[in-house]
Amino acid sequence: MRAECDQLLILDKISKTFTTGFRRRKVPVLRDVSLTLGRGEVFGLLGPNGAGKTTLMKIALGLVRPSSGRGLLLGGPLGDLQARERVGFQPEQPYLYPGLTAGETLDLMAGLSRLSRARTAARIDRVAEQCSLGKYLRTPVRKLSRGWLQRLTLACALLSDPELLLLDEPLGGLDPEARLAVKDLILSLRAEGKTVMVSSHILPDVEALADRVALLRDGVIIASGRISELLGSGSEGVEVEIECQRPIQLPEFCTLARERVASNRARWLVPGDDPARLQHVLASLLRQGASIHAITPQRRDLEAFFTQAMERARTEAEGSAWNSVEVAS
Amino acid sequence: MTIVPVMSLARHTFIDALRERAFVVLGLFLVVILVAARLLSPLALGEGRRVTLDVGLASVGFFGFLLVALLGTRMVHKEIDCKTILVLLSKPIRRSEFVLGKFLGLVTVVAVSLIAMLLMLAGILLTSGYEFDATLAVAGYYAFLELLIMAALAMFLTAFTSPVLSTFFLMGLFVAGHLSGSLIEMAQLLPNACAAKMLEAIFYVLPRLDLYSYTLEVVHGLPVDGGQLLWATSYAVIYSVGVLLLSVLILRSREFS
Amino acid sequence: MKASGTLVLALGACLSIVLAAVVRAEFAASKSRVRDETEMTLFPSGRFLREMSLGHRHLVADLGWLAAIQYYGKHRMTDRRYEMAPHLFSVITEADTAFENAYLFGALVLAEAHLLDDGARMLKEGVARNPESWFLNFELGFYHYIFMRRWEAAAAAFAAAAELPGAPEYARRFAAAAYEKTGDEETARKLWEIIATQSDNQEIRRMAEERLESLADS
């Protein structure tokens, strides 16, 4: 495998099985995961808890060794020391020394990142500003709230001005204002040309940030690609909100929204973007005496795609086959 | 091996221990030597100086060990358990640098505590009117060398067992280390040659902590033997290096999931 | 790279442990030189032990005696230096002031270590604590005569021993011989006369008469 300067992280058929307990039970966590991270992109790693997102990041950093498969981190082997100088990692939980202040924590991380004294001071000022930590630098870690701890771990990851950032659930535990600030920060990092991998199970956040995503379920990538490609260009259909006094009949392809708006009001979804089909449905409704209150085009979002993809993967898994739905990126 | 990350880790480990009230142990020490000096000495029929020195130096060793056992055995494991190690090892730091940094941090805590304890002891000897000389400082240095070995062993144990087990094993090693001088004599008495050989092997691997007792020399104000000082230092350093290398070996093979 | 690093670490660890064992031997040797000496000083003072023995002071003295014999034996076989002997024997004799053999043995060990004055002091201490002991008086005389060649002190001690109850007949002979050495022929003659008239042993009586004749000739 040759190092390509435009691909900061290459994972090729990575599998990982942990053995746990006295009986050495084997638990597969990742299976044949392949992905690449191009320079300057924000990559979203999606999946429910326990899907293997964190393990994947740890494999990239060399904290966990893959059972099989190969990979390159910034052109070096996975977890390579020189490569790690150019990588910033934010773990999911804010694991830090409670006895140190935020400033001392950053000072420690600067030391571990082999920054010179002069550069340390400048970088601490910079990341404190980026993460709005300025007024908390003298506060002991144990007195920081979860949100501020999260920002501190992010600041630690940013400290060495890395080319590649691996952020594990960076928006977890943050209030709406802080989420916005962190999202802005990630976008500004992309604007600076940094490459960011964000793992999350909160899909709207990733949708707003990521250029590409990979969907991980039970250690398998079930879908990956650009969001626009995954979601398709067209709309999901049109939602029609109607009011009627008696039951009505509609063609089979229409689906009734689960929640009724009121006792005599309902929302129907007309899938697809064929105008003839919509006209046909509207005519039928009018014929049956329903009054139409609203017609809203429905755009498919990542959450819907995610739910569908997970559903599909589950049914396929039940059929015992593990298949990956690859959408060209 | 690079010095910057090692020293940074050592410095902050020390600060963290300081803030986590590791030095409460020193208060206990003061109580013990005060009791020895003020309550036991009058009962010692003119041997008050000796009793104070004996109890004082034994307490320096014991409380130093307590500090190593409490801090050292939790040190690496706490990192793994609290997952601070994930943050640390994601930085460009080698496992060897991690081990050395943590070890030096622990050793600094031990050194500072020893100095504090010796100053307290000297203060009590002075106020009680008992004389002492520079050999007391040498006794402190010997206690430090012994704890250096214990700290290395704590790092080693904590790299692969839980804190409770490490503390347990460390206590075992502390006791065995103090008895290991007699182990070779025991080996010679064993009728079974195989068992004797095994005991002999254990004798060579176990640290000989009994050699670091310096109470005799202090009590009798014996002249300091420079050559012995050199051997004592070399042994503690070489043994600790060996144990630390083993710790690195174990930690390198570990995954942090 | 990883495998070679592991090998280097493992080799380094083994090497360190082996080297440590070698260094340890040197450390232990230097320590035992000091320790053998000081182990004896670890003995608290005899007075302290006597009080702490709660009445079993002879037991304490006996334990000290055993330790002293071992100490002597060890150094007799090796360096023949007995620096801790004065402390050790003074501990024993303080614990049990009537331990006559301890005074004598201590003095002899000290004499072997060329600490003649210390040996004499030990015996004198024994005499002072046990003035009725002809044995200690006699041995003090013997010590002065053989090791220190102080005829007067030897003669006085022998004479004192001879006057004490239980003293053997030869005590007076030793006194007489010692006085002869000092040139105090008058006292020597008196002692030889007593021996020549009072001894049960015919051969000794004959010897005493010979000495009296030779003193008369000179």
Side-chain angles (χ1 to χ4, degrees):
Chain A
M1 205 183 294
R2 202 172 60 83
E4 288 170 51
C5 59
D6 277 349
Q7 296 188 320
L8 300 197
L9 177 66
I10 303 170
L11 297 178
D12 183 27
K13 291 195 164 59
I14 296 283
S15 295
K16 178 67 192 175
T17 303
F18 284 115
T19 35
T20 56
F22 267 126
R23 298 175 63 190
R24 317 292 296 156
R25 200 164 59 87
K26 289 198 184 311
V27 182
V29 180
L30 291 173
R31 294 181 231 203
D32 284 339
V33 171
S34 299
L35 58 83
T36 54
L37 233 69
R39 188 177 291 278
E41 71 170 338
V42 176
F43 187 91
L45 198 56
L46 303 172
N49 292 328
K53 304 186 294 288
T54 304
T55 305
L56 202 63
M57 287 192 175
K58 286 178 181 169
I59 284 178
L61 290 164
L63 293 168
V64 169
R65 276 185 295 278
S67 307
S68 68
R70 296 177 303 170
L72 284 178
L73 178 70
L74 293 152
L78 295 175
D80 180 53
L81 191 75
Q82 272 81 40
R84 268 188 284 147
E85 282 187 34
R86 294 151 60 201
V87 178
F89 170 61
Q90 181 191 22
E92 184 182 353
Q93 298 291 325
Y95 311 119
L96 295 164
Y97 294 110
L100 301 182
T101 65
E104 285 164 345
T105 305
L106 289 171
D107 188 50
L108 166 64
M109 295 302 158
L112 298 183
S113 304
R114 296 155 201 262
L115 299 188
S116 65
R117 292 309 305 169
R119 182 124 191 271
T120 296
R123 284 304 301 165
I124 288 181
D125 285 349
R126 175 82 182 111
V127 296
E129 185 197 321
Q130 281 178 311
C131 302
S132 324
L133 272 168
K135 59 180 174 178
Y136 290 107
L137 286 181
R138 287 171 186 278
T139 311
V141 166
R142 84 162 74 74
K143 289 189 179 164
L144 289 178
S145 69
R146 169 73 200 252
W148 287 106
L149 277 174
Q150 194 82 357
R151 288 183 191 215
L152 180 56
T153 51
L154 184 59
C156 290
L158 291 170
L159 202 59
S160 59
D161 196 15
E163 291 168 44
L164 171 64
L165 280 150
L166 303 179
L167 310 179
D168 196 0
E169 303 274 0
L171 302 165
L174 296 181
D175 59 41
E177 197 187 342
R179 293 161 82 90
L180 209 61
V182 172
K183 276 195 222 175
D184 283 347
L185 180 58
I186 293 173
L187 290 173
S188 75
L189 289 168
R190 180 173 61 181
E192 285 174 29
K194 311 275 186 217
T195 308
V196 187
M197 182 192 255
V198 183
S199 88
S200 182
H201 62 276
I202 306 168
L203 303 178
D205 287 338
V206 177
E207 195 173 358
L209 288 173
D211 303 305
R212 286 197 303 135
V213 293
L215 242 65
L216 213 54
R217 181 182 179 274
D218 291 339
V220 177
I221 293 187
I222 54 171
S224 70
R226 300 202 160 272
I227 294 183
S228 55
E229 288 161 351
L230 287 176
L231 301 182
S233 54
S235 67
E236 258 211 327
V238 175
E239 195 182 72
V240 183
E241 191 176 323
I242 56 161
E243 190 177 336
C244 54
Q245 303 306 321
R246 57 195 168 87
I248 53 164
Q249 294 260 309
L250 278 181
E252 262 186 20
F253 55 79
C254 295
T255 48
L256 182 66
R258 275 195 204 103
E259 290 162 45
R260 291 179 81 87
V261 181
S263 59
N264 54 355
R265 269 195 193 196
R267 284 197 198 122
W268 286 87
L269 183 72
V270 185
D273 47 3
D274 181 5
R277 190 188 248 188
L278 179 61
Q279 275 182 6
H280 171 71
V281 171
L282 290 176
S284 164
L285 282 168
L286 290 171
R287 250 198 325 275
Q288 294 177 61
S291 56
I292 296 166
H293 278 255
I295 300 173
T296 325
Q298 294 294 297
R299 192 179 172 277
R300 192 151 79 131
D301 65 2
L302 197 53
E303 194 146 3
F305 174 79
F306 185 80
T307 317
Q308 282 170 16
M310 294 294 276
E311 193 59 43
R312 197 162 51 228
R314 187 156 43 237
T315 25
E316 279 166 8
E318 278 160 11
S320 90
W322 285 90
N323 290 319
S324 168
V325 180
E326 182 68 35
V327 177
S329 59
Chain B
M1 178 96 46
T2 323
I3 197 78
V4 175
V6 172
M7 293 320 286
S8 184
L9 191 55
R11 190 169 68 244
H12 290 93
T13 299
F14 175 72
I15 297 173
D16 189 46
L18 200 75
R19 304 253 170 85
E20 294 293 295
R21 301 186 188 88
F23 295 106
V24 171
V25 165
L26 300 184
L28 282 174
F29 168 79
L30 187 64
V31 172
V32 169
I33 54 168
L34 268 175
V35 167
R38 296 281 180 267
L39 296 182
L40 287 182
S41 296
L43 302 175
L45 303 164
E47 297 285 343
R49 171 180 173 270
R50 165 186 214 113
V51 169
T52 309
L53 271 174
D54 280 346
V55 175
L57 286 176
S59 305
V60 167
F62 177 72
F63 284 100
F65 168 70
L66 207 64
L67 209 63
V68 170
L70 290 179
L71 279 181
T73 57
R74 283 172 57 230
M75 202 161 259
V76 174
H77 201 274
K78 200 174 84 181
E79 301 269 353
I80 297 170
D81 226 28
C82 303
K83 309 211 171 175
T84 40
I85 203 163
L86 293 181
V87 184
L88 300 188
L89 293 183
S90 71
K91 298 287 171 197
I93 178 171
R94 294 181 181 88
R95 305 272 159 112
S96 52
E97 290 164 344
F98 171 78
V99 168
L100 189 63
K102 290 305 279 182
F103 175 72
L104 290 181
L106 176 60
V107 165
T108 313
V109 175
V110 168
V112 169
S113 315
L114 278 178
I115 290 171
M117 288 195 277
L118 285 174
L119 286 178
M120 286 187 222
L121 183 58
I124 288 198
L125 287 168
L126 271 178
T127 51
S128 308
Y130 300 136
E131 58 184 43
F132 64 96
D133 54 23
T135 47
L136 189 66
V138 181
Y141 178 63
Y142 269 49
F144 172 72
L145 291 178
E146 180 182 336
L147 293 175
L148 194 76
I149 293 177
M150 290 317 291
L153 285 170
M155 298 291 297
F156 170 68
L157 290 170
T158 190
F160 64 92
T161 59
S162 70
V164 176
L165 274 181
S166 323
T167 310
F168 184 72
F169 284 140
L170 199 67
M171 278 178 166
L173 281 172
F174 184 67
V175 174
H178 277 278
L179 297 177
S180 66
S182 326
L183 213 61
I184 196 79
E185 289 160 27
M186 252 168 76
Q188 283 156 1
L189 292 177
L190 278 180
N192 185 334
C194 183
K197 277 272 172 261
M198 262 176 65
L199 210 58
E200 209 173 312
I202 294 172
F203 167 74
Y204 282 109
V205 175
L206 274 179
R208 275 208 57 186
L209 302 177
D210 56 322
L211 296 177
Y212 287 102
S213 159
Y214 209 68
T215 315
L216 276 180
E217 287 87 340
V218 176
V219 169
H220 296 282
L222 296 180
V224 176
D225 178 350
Q228 188 193 93
L229 216 60
L230 194 68
W231 288 123
T233 310
S234 311
Y235 175 54
V237 170
I238 296 171
Y239 191 87
S240 303
V241 166
V243 174
L244 289 179
L245 286 176
L246 284 178
S247 319
V248 175
L249 207 59
I250 293 173
L251 217 57
R252 269 165 60 108
S253 67
R254 278 199 71 159
E255 293 184 308
F256 303 99
S257 51
Chain C
M1 200 180 83
K2 176 111 184 163
S4 68
T6 306
L7 192 68
V8 168
L9 277 171
L11 274 177
C14 292
L15 201 70
S16 304
I17 301 289
V18 171
L19 192 60
V22 175
V23 170
R24 189 177 79 171
E26 291 293 332
F27 179 25
S30 75
K31 189 82 185 175
S32 73
R33 275 198 292 278
V34 177
R35 191 167 286 191
D36 281 351
E37 306 311 315
T38 42
E39 214 132 69
M40 296 303 150
T41 63
L42 190 65
F43 264 78
S45 78
R47 191 174 75 92
F48 177 66
L49 273 181
R50 202 167 57 201
E51 304 303 333
M52 293 305 286
S53 68
L54 306 172
H56 298 283
R57 46 190 275 194
H58 290 98
L59 181 69
V60 170
D62 290 350
L63 290 175
W65 176 243
L66 291 175
I69 289 171
Q70 280 189 344
Y71 175 80
Y72 173 75
K74 187 167 179 178
H75 286 271
R76 165 93 202 165
M77 305 291 282
T78 53
D79 58 3
R80 298 201 173 204
R81 288 156 61 97
Y82 310 101
E83 278 144 18
M84 288 323 296
H87 173 73
L88 192 48
F89 284 103
S90 83
V91 166
I92 302 166
T93 52
E94 263 179 44
D96 180 358
T97 50
F99 200 159
E100 292 181 343
N101 271 323
Y103 293 106
L104 173 61
F105 187 54
L108 292 177
V109 170
L110 293 174
E112 198 183 320
H114 306 292
L115 299 167
L116 293 176
D117 288 332
D118 288 331
R121 198 174 305 123
M122 178 161 284
L123 280 170
K124 277 182 195 156
E125 212 167 72
V127 168
R129 286 177 184 157
N130 304 280
E132 295 301 302
S133 164
W134 73 264
F135 178 81
L136 284 173
N137 277 287
F138 180 83
E139 292 300 341
L140 178 63
F142 194 83
Y143 194 88
H144 279 307
Y145 194 96
I146 299 289
F147 295 113
M148 306 181 84
R149 310 211 160 252
R150 288 191 193 149
W151 319 120
E152 281 171 26
F158 283 136
E163 297 307 319
L164 288 167
E169 183 190 19
Y170 57 77
R172 194 162 278 121
R173 280 209 305 278
F174 274 84
Y179 277 117
E180 240 180 86
K181 283 268 190 191
T182 62
D184 184 356
E185 291 179 3
E186 184 56 35
T187 315
R189 192 175 291 115
K190 279 182 190 160
L191 287 169
W192 286 126
E193 272 170 9
I194 297 171
I195 297 165
T197 52
Q198 294 183 359
S199 176
D200 298 336
N201 189 316
Q202 193 187 341
E203 189 57 24
I204 290 173
R205 284 202 301 275
R206 188 190 57 74
M207 227 170 67
E209 276 158 14
E210 263 180 32
R211 293 309 306 158
L212 282 167
E213 277 169 27
S214 103
L215 278 171
D217 291 346
S218 62

